[in-house]
């Protein structure tokens, strides 16, 4: 494995434009279950791909709201782990680093990464069904109903998490930026994603078509492993600090 760590470090150390694509696996060591693991306890009988949809919310707004409040509490108790911190450190060491994350937990920003594209929104931010956005739980304080109603004068539409649900389009500008940066990078580091969810899972193929070198960090093989030049098999929280240590202060 050390030889693969050395290979990954050599590629990263010479990256002119590095894009780091992350998924739920990078937050696993912060105590946040990945999307495909059985949901914990109360939610074991629910399919996240049914709950994380507008249809699911309209059919059962309280169930979906409570599921997100459950996940928000996990996120609020979570801290960035050594994997997030190593990614933030890479931004300091290398000339041009951007994180593109599928996660909605905000942990990259908390770890100190400054260039982060959140493809699927952020579980700490809310909007109403009529589009009044940038709401936080503080704006909704005092409302007993689940989900709460929009606090904008005269609105009263149901409030939902500001995340991209299955069947919803990603923010056009964010996706365009992510696709352009994936096409322009000379190295892509893919951490902790099964590579199943589209269109995020197409970004590595943009990098690959542009002849970027591709490194994957994942204890398992993923849908993207075939295009990885180096696959580091293990947890991000252990492997990314080892790669960073080899890069050192070059
Ligand atoms: C859209 C926010 C246009 C909500 C999320 C083309 C083909 C097939 C299907 C589609 C397609 N285009 C669109 C679709 C439909 C759908 C889709 O992709 N379905 C999948 C299931 C096939 N996509 C959409 O609907 C997207 N919208 O394309 O709009 C459109 C409109 C209508 C109809 C068609 C198209 C919107 C997708 C966004 C959904 N929202 N999140 C919320 O979080 O509640 S996605 C959600 O699931 C997460 O954000 C994340 O992105 C995804 C889970 O994936 P991963 O992050 O990879 O996590 P996963 O659990 O799968 O894997 C974890 C990995 O970590 C594993 O590999 C594991 O081995 C590894 N790991 C574990 N521990 C560690 C580790 N790695 C490192 N270290 C460790 N310690």
């Amino acid at each position: 494995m050390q030889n693969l760590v050395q290979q990954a470090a050599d590629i990263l150390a010479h990256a002119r434009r590095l894009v780091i694509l992350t998924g739920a696996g990078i937050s696993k060591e912060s105590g946040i279950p990945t999307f495909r693991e059985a949901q914990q306890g109360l939610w074991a009988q629910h399919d996240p791909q049914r709950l994380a949809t507008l249809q699911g919310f309209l059919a059962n707004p309280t169930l979906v709201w409570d599921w997100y409040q459950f996940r928000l509490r996990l996120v609020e108790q979570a801290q960035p782990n050594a994997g997030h911190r190593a990614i933030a450190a890479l931004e300091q060491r290398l000339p041009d680093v951007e994180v593109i994350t599928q996660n909605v937990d905000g942990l990259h920003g908390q770890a100190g990464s400054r260039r982060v594209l959140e493809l699927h929104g952020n579980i700490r931010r809310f909007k109403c069904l009529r589009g009044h956005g940038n709401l936080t739980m503080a704006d909704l304080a005092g409302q007993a109903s689940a989900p709460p109603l929009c606090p904008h004068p005269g609105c009263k539409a149901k409030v939902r998490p500001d995340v991209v649900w299955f069947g919803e389009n990603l923010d056009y500008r964010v996706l365009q930026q992510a696709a352009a940066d994936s096409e322009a990078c000379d190295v892509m580091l893919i951490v902790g994603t099964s590579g199943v969810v589209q269109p995020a899972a197409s970004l590595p193929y943009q990098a690959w078509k542009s002849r970027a070198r591709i490194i994957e960090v994942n204890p398992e093989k993923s849908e993207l492993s075939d295009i990885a030049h180096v696959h580091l098999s293990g947890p991000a929280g252990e492997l990314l600090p080892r790669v960073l240590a080899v890069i050192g202060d070059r």
Side-chain angles (χ1 to χ4, degrees), residues 24 29 35-36 68 71 102 164 167-168 193-194 198 218 236:
E29 292 156 271
F35 231 70
R36 270 159 191 61
Y68 277 92
R71 289 176 57 194
Q102 300 173 79
V164 179
E168 292 186 321
T193 181
S194 60
Q198 295 294 350
N218 193 323

Side-chain angles (χ1 to χ4, degrees), residues 2 30 37-38 59 68-69 95 97 104 109 131 140-141 143 148 170 175 180 186 205 210 222 225 234 250:
Q2 191 54 28
S30 294
E37 277 165 342
Y68 277 92
Q69 288 294 299
V97 178
V104 296
L140 308 168
Q143 291 202 45
L170 279 65
L175 186 54
D186 60 315
Y205 290 92
S210 305
S222 76
S225 299
R250 287 183 194 188

Side-chain angles (χ1 to χ4, degrees), residues 22-29 33-37 48-49 51-52 67-68 71 101-104 119-121 123 163-170 191-200 202 216-223 234-238:
T22 66
I26 184 93
S27 295
K28 173 106 178 284
E29 292 156 271
T34 68
F35 231 70
R36 270 159 191 61
E37 277 165 342
Q49 282 171 36
L51 291 181
W67 182 52
Y68 277 92
R71 289 176 57 194
T101 189
Q102 300 173 79
N103 301 337
V104 296
L119 292 177
H120 298 153
I123 199 169
V163 298
V164 179
W165 278 334
F166 289 100
E168 292 186 321
N169 287 306
L170 279 65
V191 185
T193 181
S194 60
V196 167
V197 171
Q198 295 294 350
S202 301
E216 183 177 34
V217 177
N218 193 323
E220 315 283 337
K221 288 287 186 186
S222 76
E223 296 291 314
E238 178 205 314

Side-chain angles (χ1 to χ4, degrees), residues 37 83 159 215 233:
E37 277 165 342
V159 170
I215 301 163
S233 179

